Amino acid sequence: MYFDLIESCKDQNSSRMIQKQFESSSIEQKNIIFQKIYQEALNLMKDQFGNYVIQKFFEKGQKKKKLQKQIYIQTGNTEHKIQLYQLLKGQVLDLSLHTYGCRVIQKALEELKDYPELQEGIIQEINDKIMVCIQDQHGNHVIQKCFETISSSKQINLHFIHTVVEQFREYQNCVLPMKQFFFLITLYIWKQKKTKEIYDKLMENIIDLCKCQYGNYIIQYIIEKGSNYYKQKMLKIIKENFVCLSLNKFASNVTEKSILFSDDSFKLGVLDVLLSQFNNQSQDTGIIKLTKNAYGNYVVQRFYEKSNFDIKQKLCAYLLQNELIYNDIVSNSYGKPFFKKNSQNKKIILGKHVLTHIEKNRVDNIRNNSQNFIQNNQFSNSKIKQKKKF
């Protein structure tokens, strides 16, 4: 009978039947089923269908809410979920990396929300292997569940974040888990009121995070919606490194975001950086470097769009009134050819993109000013005619 019950848990249809029966059973019946399966529970956690039975035990097992949590553990008169927790001890990492075991760990984290000390016990077993879990296709879901379920244990969450921010360079090729994890950090910043520790850790790594495929989204988020104090600190660093960041595929998204969510004083500071010599090894200024770059030219276009009239004038004067600079930009091409449908190699003229954009905006401004002038004159002329009639 015992053997049949264990084997039934491993069968798809029988497993569902046992789950339904357990859910609707009395406390006495639940205890009987639980005790028969308990000895093989660890093996069932790794079974394709057996893991669902164990999850159901966590979810619908016996509860004795009136007793204190510590009394449960000491007297042995424990809930089913706490007895299962005892089985998990020493097995958390192994189960977290397992196809089916990771589901049981996630369910345990959910159902032990009334027992934060037990939740922390689960977390402590994977603390030293946090990056292993983040990289693993199953373990990363356990880490996500940690963020979702453990809100009261801030120290654990901070440990996760600090570990990732410090070591993310080693794991940037691990695309999906890193994307998920940086998204979780962003959510955590949004949800928590006190995030000084996180901000400080991010500030230490801001340049590298800007250049990270997914880390740049965190910096963008802070620039748009984060604490104003840290936003200003980040903008200062971004301004000082504006050209280098704008030349990078991912960091250029951050510099564009900084343009969108900053005031005129920031943009004036950026203009000074753009019109200064890029470095000692190059005669080019920052603006020339960017207009000839695959990513930087878009940053310049956005900078021009969002700047005030005085900044636009200075930028136009520099780019259009100096013939050498103008010819240098126009003659530049992005060296990597690409194939179109007609299989002909063509080159992208990046510098021309910027100049065309600026000239178009300048023409539009002139046209708008002319239209306003004409409309004003027409209005004043009509007033004069009306006066003459009277």
Side-chain angles (χ1 to χ4, degrees):
M1 180 69 181
Y2 168 75
F3 178 79
D4 290 342
L5 183 60
I6 299 300
E7 290 303 309
S8 296
C9 290
K10 298 178 181 180
D11 176 75
Q12 184 175 10
N13 294 324
S14 299
S15 172
R16 288 175 179 171
M17 185 182 69
I18 292 170
Q19 292 172 59
K20 288 181 180 179
Q21 184 179 350
F22 185 82
E23 189 169 353
S24 59
S25 296
S26 64
I27 293 176
E28 291 75 14
Q29 290 173 326
K30 284 182 178 180
N31 279 329
I32 293 171
I33 297 172
F34 181 81
Q35 292 305 323
K36 287 183 177 179
I37 293 177
Y38 180 74
Q39 297 301 323
E40 287 294 319
L42 201 57
N43 291 329
L44 290 175
M45 291 178 189
K46 294 184 176 182
D47 184 76
Q48 183 177 4
F49 304 112
N51 78 90
Y52 292 109
V53 176
I54 305 303
Q55 288 186 58
K56 187 62 68 174
F57 286 170
F58 268 112
E59 185 180 348
K60 299 293 182 180
Q62 178 188 359
K63 298 179 181 179
K64 294 181 180 293
K65 293 184 178 179
K66 292 183 180 180
L67 295 178
Q68 294 180 0
K69 301 160 193 173
Q70 295 299 327
I71 293 178
Y72 283 151
I73 299 174
Q74 292 171 2
T75 63
N77 188 15
T78 60
E79 297 183 36
H80 292 153
K81 64 178 67 176
I82 298 180
Q83 292 184 56
L84 289 171
Y85 168 77
Q86 302 297 334
L87 285 179
L88 294 179
K89 286 184 177 180
Q91 306 294 326
V92 174
L93 179 61
D94 181 45
L95 290 168
S96 296
L97 303 179
H98 191 273
T99 307
Y100 307 117
C102 69
R103 300 174 185 177
V104 176
I105 298 298
Q106 291 175 69
K107 178 61 73 173
L109 287 167
E110 284 180 4
E111 297 300 327
L112 291 173
K113 60 186 176 183
D114 294 330
Y115 304 91
E117 70 278 6
L118 301 187
Q119 281 185 324
E120 291 186 22
I122 293 175
I123 299 299
Q124 292 304 322
E125 289 198 28
I126 57 176
N127 261 348
D128 294 336
K129 300 293 183 181
I130 186 70
M131 297 310 298
V132 174
C133 292
I134 290 173
Q135 290 186 96
D136 185 76
Q137 60 178 326
H138 309 302
N140 80 87
H141 294 291
V142 174
I143 302 303
Q144 291 183 64
K145 187 60 66 175
C146 291
F147 273 89
E148 293 172 12
T149 57
I150 305 179
S151 57
S152 60
S153 184
K154 186 177 178 183
Q155 293 301 319
I156 293 178
N157 286 329
L158 288 177
H159 175 83
F160 286 164
I161 293 173
H162 289 183
T163 304
V164 172
V165 173
E166 287 173 349
Q167 301 182 30
F168 76 92
R169 298 176 194 82
E170 303 173 22
Y171 302 96
Q172 288 193 49
N173 293 329
C174 190
V175 178
L176 182 61
M178 289 305 290
K179 179 179 180 180
Q180 292 170 335
F181 200 86
F182 280 124
F183 176 69
L184 287 170
I185 294 177
T186 306
L187 281 181
Y188 187 79
I189 291 173
W190 179 73
K191 288 167 65 177
Q192 298 294 327
K193 293 181 180 178
K194 296 181 179 180
T195 51
K196 182 180 182 300
E197 297 93 336
I198 303 173
Y199 278 123
D200 289 342
K201 187 59 64 175
L202 293 174
M203 289 299 298
E204 293 174 12
N205 298 273
I206 182 171
I207 299 298
D208 290 325
L209 283 169
C210 286
K211 295 179 179 180
C212 174
Q213 185 175 6
Y214 299 109
N216 77 88
Y217 291 113
I218 300 178
I219 307 303
Q220 288 189 59
Y221 176 85
I222 294 172
I223 290 172
E224 183 176 353
K225 298 180 180 179
S227 159
N228 187 61
Y229 173 75
Y230 284 98
K231 172 183 174 179
Q232 296 306 320
K233 290 183 72 173
M234 286 187 174
L235 285 177
K236 182 181 178 182
I237 296 173
I238 291 168
K239 179 176 67 178
E240 293 168 353
N241 298 273
F242 194 85
V243 177
C244 290
L245 292 175
S246 298
L247 294 172
N248 180 270
K249 178 179 180 179
F250 305 116
S252 61
N253 297 322
V254 176
T255 53
E256 283 198 52
K257 185 71 73 171
S258 70
I259 292 166
L260 291 174
F261 294 92
S262 60
D263 54 21
D264 287 342
S265 63
F266 173 80
K267 294 182 179 69
L268 278 170
V270 170
L271 182 65
D272 291 337
V273 173
L274 293 178
L275 300 185
S276 302
Q277 187 175 336
F278 177 57
N279 56 41
N280 296 330
Q281 288 76 36
S282 173
Q283 295 297 319
D284 288 344
T285 56
I287 188 71
I288 296 175
K289 277 284 184 185
L290 294 187
T291 53
K292 298 191 291 185
N293 179 264
Y295 311 111
N297 82 94
Y298 293 107
V299 177
V300 176
Q301 292 179 45
R302 184 55 59 90
F303 179 74
Y304 183 84
E305 279 179 5
K306 300 301 177 181
S307 295
N308 61 32
F309 181 74
D310 291 336
I311 294 176
K312 286 180 179 179
Q313 271 196 322
K314 291 178 182 178
L315 199 58
C316 284
Y318 182 82
L319 289 176
L320 300 177
Q321 292 179 14
N322 189 319
E323 188 175 348
L324 290 176
I325 293 175
Y326 182 89
N327 291 334
D328 183 27
I329 294 173
V330 171
S331 63
N332 169 260
S333 61
Y334 182 49
K336 190 176 181 179
F338 67 94
F339 291 92
K340 287 196 172 183
K341 290 183 179 179
N342 58 10
S343 300
Q344 292 179 350
N345 282 341
K346 294 191 177 182
K347 294 182 179 180
I348 307 170
I349 309 300
L350 298 175
K352 287 183 178 178
H353 287 176
V354 176
L355 291 174
T356 302
H357 183 81
I358 290 175
E359 288 176 330
K360 178 181 179 298
N361 276 273
R362 192 172 64 163
V363 170
D364 288 343
N365 288 335
I366 293 171
R367 187 182 294 115
N368 291 333
N369 291 335
S370 300
Q371 288 176 351
N372 291 334
F373 178 77
I374 292 169
Q375 288 174 359
N376 290 334
N377 282 343
Q378 288 176 345
F379 180 73
S380 58
N381 289 336
S382 64
K383 276 194 167 184
I384 292 170
K385 288 179 181 179
Q386 287 176 1
K387 285 182 180 179
K388 285 183 178 180
K389 286 181 181 180
F390 289 105

